[in-house]
Amino acid sequence: MNDSPARLPLRTAAAVKLGNLSSTLSQKMGLGAGGMIGGRVALKLDPQALARLTHGRRVAVVTGTNGKTTSTMMLARAVGALGEVATNHSGANMPDGHVTALSKQPDAPYAVLECDEGYFPAVAGASNPAVAVILNLSRDQLDRVGEVRTIERALRDTVTKLPNCTIVANCDDVMVTSAAWNAQKVIWVATGTGWHHDSASCPRCGNPIRWQGEHWHCTGCDLARPHPNWITADEAMITPEHQKLELRLTLPGKFNQANAVMASAAAHALGVPTDEAVRRLRGVSNVSGRYRTIQRNGRSARLLLSKNPAGWSETLTVVKEANHPAVLVINANEADGRDLSWLWDVPFERLQGRTVIASGERATDLAVRLTYAEVQHTIVPDPLKAIDQMPQGAVEVIANYTAFRDLNARAAADE
């Protein structure tokens, strides 16, 4: 039986109660959604709150550079077939957010926690997860996250200390494979990952990685692509029993197909029948505003979130298929990373020949990159005004973190 605040140690129960009160006050005062402040207060009062709130539950932790929020929502939906699930799929993915989410659903026997990759060692150590999902590892904003190989080493050290945890790992990602290589129990998933720019050399020995079709291996040690247990196929997946299941997802893009297969493998490890997991995943259509379409002055604008080169590369692939005009929105606040050098690794050349507007607080920095990519564009710093200047019809709007958050909030206020 899982713990609840009534059965928690007195200190933890009091910390949770005061934390929940802080969340409520934050919401009523218009200071935010309260997803972080409640947990922050609780952890200040009881540093062991996360461990005590996860005790007695079956916990799954989802981490990686891209796709965490979507995969967490998918996995939570699937695990809902077994019982009530406490989850933080709104994106508050540090211990503060975990404590808040767990305290809101104290009696849920399952917890599915999205976890920032930098916090994974601490969260996994506190929560003793039954399953840990490692989606991908690529370079994010260096001034905010750090070097990707440092993250890989931290995850590698952590998973070897989780003897009772099943690791669900992306075998098409060299960094993820290295991180999970020595774990005691691993389920390998072939995702068809297309971003290899951060793993030209082996994270273990430094020698070159050699690719031959979908297979890869290190030229200096035994690290190589494992044989996958689950396979992401075109609009489908292949299970360990060699059963092919059509995904028929509402969410667009090959990367969401990969997220769905990773979530299905993790759900299966927790005891969810695969057919039921896939059925539940098909109902996921809006993930914290991602993929939402807003109607504005005759324009139908689809909002897409991308935060780093790998994420932008995947999103631009989806946008290229539609060939609609595009508004690109870039901020450089603390949550985004203030260093915009990563823009030069994004393949904006894919937007050549279409109507493009550079927008956001750092629209001029983006405009310089678009100029070198030979993408004709104009500059309109306000993203809503940028949408209004597009031809009537469908418009793609791609924004990084705070730009996406602010645009969603403004669009909701106008409705």
Side-chain angles (χ1 to χ4, degrees), residues 121-137:
V123 172
S127 64
N128 189 28
V131 173
V133 182
I134 311 178
L135 298 166
N136 46 65
L137 290 173

Side-chain angles (χ1 to χ4, degrees), residues 249-324:
L249 300 178
T250 304
L251 299 180
K254 292 182 179 179
F255 55 92
N256 278 320
Q257 295 174 35
N259 290 338
V261 180
M262 294 286 286
S264 296
H268 184 268
L270 288 168
V272 181
T274 304
D275 289 348
E276 176 65 13
V278 173
R279 186 187 70 78
R280 287 171 171 262
L281 300 190
R282 289 171 182 153
V284 178
S285 59
N286 187 328
V287 184
S288 299
R290 295 161 173 81
Y291 319 108
R292 172 189 179 198
T293 298
I294 61 172
Q295 304 299 323
R296 185 174 174 84
N297 301 325
R299 286 87 179 166
S300 181
R302 180 169 63 165
L303 308 185
L304 303 168
L305 172 66
S306 292
K307 299 179 287 187
N308 47 54
W312 275 84
S313 180
E314 294 289 352
T315 301
L316 288 174
T317 299
V318 173
V319 169
K320 185 176 181 179
E321 294 170 357
N323 201 33
H324 297 143

Side-chain angles (χ1 to χ4, degrees), residues 204-236:
R204 291 178 168 242
C205 72
N207 283 285
I209 296 293
R210 181 170 297 163
W211 285 83
Q212 296 173 307
E214 64 184 8
H215 300 284
W216 59 266
H217 69 276
C218 173
T219 55
C221 69
D222 64 348
L223 187 68
R225 182 182 189 261
H227 179 75
N229 308 105
W230 297 71
I231 298 172
T232 307
D234 185 24
E235 302 285 350

Side-chain angles (χ1 to χ4, degrees), residues 74-216:
M74 287 179 165
L75 181 54
R77 286 280 185 91
V79 176
L82 302 176
E84 185 183 359
V85 182
T87 184
N88 64 320
H89 58 66
S90 62
N93 60 15
M94 299 176 190
D96 300 341
H98 301 150
V99 168
T100 298
L102 293 164
S103 66
K104 298 292 186 184
Q105 294 176 275
D107 296 312
Y110 298 91
V112 177
L113 303 177
E114 173 188 344
C115 183
D116 180 277
E117 57 271 32
Y119 284 88
F120 178 79
V123 172
S127 64
N128 189 28
V131 173
V133 182
I134 311 178
L135 298 166
N136 46 65
L137 290 173
S138 64
R139 181 166 53 85
D140 212 340
Q141 289 76 43
L142 294 177
D143 60 328
R144 187 177 64 86
V145 177
E147 212 279 331
V148 63
R149 289 169 186 256
T150 301
I151 298 294
E152 183 276 325
R153 284 192 293 272
L155 266 62
R156 187 197 313 176
D157 291 343
T158 300
V159 299
T160 59
K161 300 172 185 175
L162 299 173
N164 301 316
C165 181
T166 298
I167 309 299
V168 179
N170 177 0
C171 69
D172 289 329
D173 187 302
V174 175
M175 292 290 175
V176 170
T177 301
S178 177
W181 191 250
N182 298 120
Q184 294 194 24
K185 184 176 182 181
V186 188
I187 296 172
W188 298 107
V189 180
T191 63
T193 300
W195 182 265
H196 305 144
H197 299 279
D198 298 304
S199 53
S201 62
C202 178
R204 291 178 168 242
C205 72
N207 283 285
I209 296 293
R210 181 170 297 163
W211 285 83
Q212 296 173 307
E214 64 184 8
H215 300 284
W216 59 266

